Amino acid sequence: MTINLQTLKCGECGSGMLQRSGLNQYACAHCGSVSIVEDNVSDRLERVLEQVKDEAGRRLAAEQSARGRSAARSMGIAIAAVAVLVAGVFGVMAYVVDRNQPERASMPRTIPGEGLRLEARQVLAGSGSLAQPWLLVTARNESGSAIERPKVNAIFYDRDSRIGEQSESVPIGTLMPGETAPVLIKLPSDQAVTRYELQADALSTPFWTTEGPPLQFTRVRLVQQTDEVWLFGRLANARKDALALSIVEVLVTLYDEAGTVIGVGRGFSQATELRPGERTAAEVRIERLGNRKVPIAAWDYRIDYSLTEGAQQAKKRVLASSSRVIRTAGAPEMLRASQRLSSADLLADSGAEQIDKAR
C-alpha cells in the first residue's frame, strides 16, 4: 500500500530540517521555530481507506486470475484424461467386436484376371425351332484362391466390326481353386458372328469365409421325362452346433462319352435356411445343349453354401476343405410321361429305409 506524503518546510526560514516535537508540531533544526501542521483526519482516513480498497481489489483480481489459470490447467488435464479413457474404451470395444466377427478372406481380395482361364465353343440350346445359338464358355480357376462368382465378358465381331457384347456370371457362388464351371452366353441372333473375345471381369475372393467339409445330398436322383432332365436331391443339416445352412446353391453338369459338356443346370434349396436337424430338398432343371439325342454318359453336381448363426449374424461362405464335385457315371433314370415329377415323390423313403428308421 502506498500513502501520498507532502514535504514540510519551516515557515520562518524555509528549511526542510524539521523534527516532530508533538501532535501535529514540528521544530526547525535551523532556526528553532515551531510549526503547527493542520490535519483533516477524516479526509486522510478516507484516502487511506480508498487506497486500501484499491489494493484489496487488485490482490483479489490477481488471486482470481491465478485460480482461473489453475482451473484451466486442471480442466485441460481432466479433458485429456477423459480422452485417453474414451480412446481406451473404444479400442477395447473394437477389439471385442473384431474378435466376434466371422473369419474373413485375407487381403488383398483382388485376383489378377489371368487367374481365370477361358475356353469356348458355340452350341444350340433349346429344342426344335426354338433352339438358339449360345456360347458355352468353360471357366477354370487357376489362381490358387477361391473366386467369388466370376463374370465373363464376351465381345462379338463381324470381321472388323464390333456388333455386340454380353456378360454372364459363373452359375455358382464360389469357384474353388482347380475347379471348372460352364457359362452360357447368348450370341447375337440377328447378325453373323465371325469371331469373339473373352475377358474375365474384376476377380476377387469371397469376403466372409470359413473352411468346412463339402456338402452332399443324402439322397439324389437324376431323372429324364420325355426331353426334360431333372436332378432331385435331399439335404440335411447334420451339424452338432447351432449353425444353420443358408444360400444353398446347386450346379449340375451333364457329359457325353467323350467328356464334353452337354447339359447345365442351376438351382437352390427349397428352404432358405436349414437349422441343425432339419432337412429340405432341391430341384434342378438341366438345359440340354446341342443334339438332344446324344446319350448322357456321366453327370456331376456341387453345392455352394454358407453358415450363419441367427438372422442378424453375417453369413460365412464355406470354402470346401476337399473336392466338392460329386461325379456319377451313367445315364438318368427314365420316367413315364404320366409319372408325377416332384421331390416329395422321388425322394420318398423306400421300404428298407423306413424299416431302418423303425429300428
Side-chain angles (χ1 to χ4, degrees):
M1 180 178 65
T2 302
I3 301 177
N4 296 327
L5 299 177
Q6 292 181 352
T7 302
L8 301 178
K9 294 182 180 182
C10 177
E12 296 294 332
C13 67
S15 173
M17 300 174 62
L18 300 177
Q19 294 180 354
R20 189 182 183 90
S21 59
L23 182 61
N24 297 336
Q25 293 183 357
Y26 295 86
C28 180
H30 183 264
C31 67
S33 63
V34 176
S35 299
I36 297 175
V37 180
E38 295 181 2
D39 185 21
N40 188 332
V41 176
S42 61
D43 289 344
R44 186 173 61 171
L45 180 59
E46 184 177 351
R47 288 196 302 271
V48 171
L49 290 177
E50 286 292 333
Q51 292 176 5
V52 170
K53 185 175 67 174
D54 291 343
E55 178 67 15
R58 186 189 66 79
R59 290 188 177 182
L60 179 60
E63 291 175 0
Q64 288 178 342
S65 177
R67 285 198 295 270
R69 290 193 298 271
S70 177
R73 287 194 297 270
S74 300
M75 182 64 71
I77 295 173
I79 291 174
V82 171
V84 171
L85 179 61
V86 170
V89 170
F90 276 102
V92 172
M93 290 177 63
Y95 174 74
V96 172
V97 170
D98 186 68
R99 282 176 59 86
N100 291 332
Q101 293 295 338
E103 301 170 34
R104 67 180 71 183
S106 59
M107 295 297 183
R109 296 178 59 216
T110 303
I111 296 175
E114 56 268 21
L116 192 69
R117 191 178 73 181
L118 305 173
E119 298 178 353
R121 61 185 176 90
Q122 292 190 31
V123 296
L124 287 176
S127 59
S129 60
L130 299 178
Q132 296 290 326
W134 292 73
L135 196 63
L136 176 62
V137 181
T138 300
R140 179 178 177 83
N141 182 0
E142 297 183 343
S143 69
S145 302
I147 303 177
E148 184 172 23
R149 200 179 295 279
K151 180 181 288 187
V152 179
N153 300 323
I155 304 172
F156 303 110
Y157 295 87
D158 181 4
R159 297 181 176 84
D160 295 331
S161 299
R162 181 168 174 164
I163 60 175
E165 181 176 351
Q166 290 287 341
S167 298
E168 290 292 341
S169 297
V170 171
I172 193 73
T174 308
L175 192 62
M176 297 296 294
E179 282 188 352
T180 60
V183 184
L184 281 172
I185 300 179
K186 192 172 184 178
L187 287 161
S189 57
D190 56 346
Q191 291 177 287
V193 177
T194 59
R195 63 186 181 91
Y196 53 82
E197 295 178 359
L198 299 176
Q199 300 173 349
D201 206 352
L203 305 177
S204 63
T205 62
F207 192 67
W208 302 115
T209 64
T210 186
E211 187 173 307
L215 187 62
Q216 299 184 26
F217 289 119
T218 58
R219 181 171 172 80
V220 61
R221 296 180 69 179
L222 183 73
V223 300
Q224 181 172 345
Q225 189 176 54
T226 60
D227 287 337
E228 290 194 344
V229 180
W230 290 77
L231 180 138
F232 294 87
R234 178 191 296 160
L235 286 166
N237 187 348
R239 298 183 66 90
K240 303 302 181 183
D241 50 27
L243 297 178
L245 309 182
S246 63
I247 318 179
V248 179
E249 188 176 10
V250 184
L251 174 62
V252 183
T253 310
L254 308 180
Y255 305 91
D256 62 12
E257 290 185 352
T260 303
V261 175
I262 58 174
V264 178
R266 172 197 179 201
F268 295 87
S269 63
Q270 294 175 347
T272 57
E273 185 177 82
L274 200 62
R275 296 183 178 88
E278 296 179 342
R279 69 181 189 178
T280 188
E283 302 177 3
V284 183
R285 181 183 177 278
I286 303 165
E287 181 70 42
R288 286 294 306 265
L289 306 175
N291 186 354
R292 289 172 174 261
K293 297 188 179 298
V294 173
I296 299 169
W299 52 279
D300 64 34
Y301 75 85
R302 76 196 75 175
I303 301 175
D304 193 89
Y305 70 104
S306 298
L307 293 175
T308 185
E309 184 174 7
Q312 303 302 320
Q313 297 295 320
K315 293 176 175 60
K316 298 179 289 185
R317 185 74 57 83
V318 177
L319 304 183
S321 54
S322 58
S323 177
R324 59 178 180 168
V325 179
I326 310 301
R327 191 177 180 96
T328 301
E333 304 173 48
M334 302 301 296
L335 300 181
R336 298 187 304 274
S338 60
Q339 191 168 347
R340 185 177 178 182
L341 197 65
S342 71
S343 58
D345 294 331
L346 294 174
L347 300 176
D349 294 330
S350 65
E353 288 176 325
Q354 291 176 353
I355 293 174
D356 291 339
K357 280 189 174 182
R359 292 176 181 174

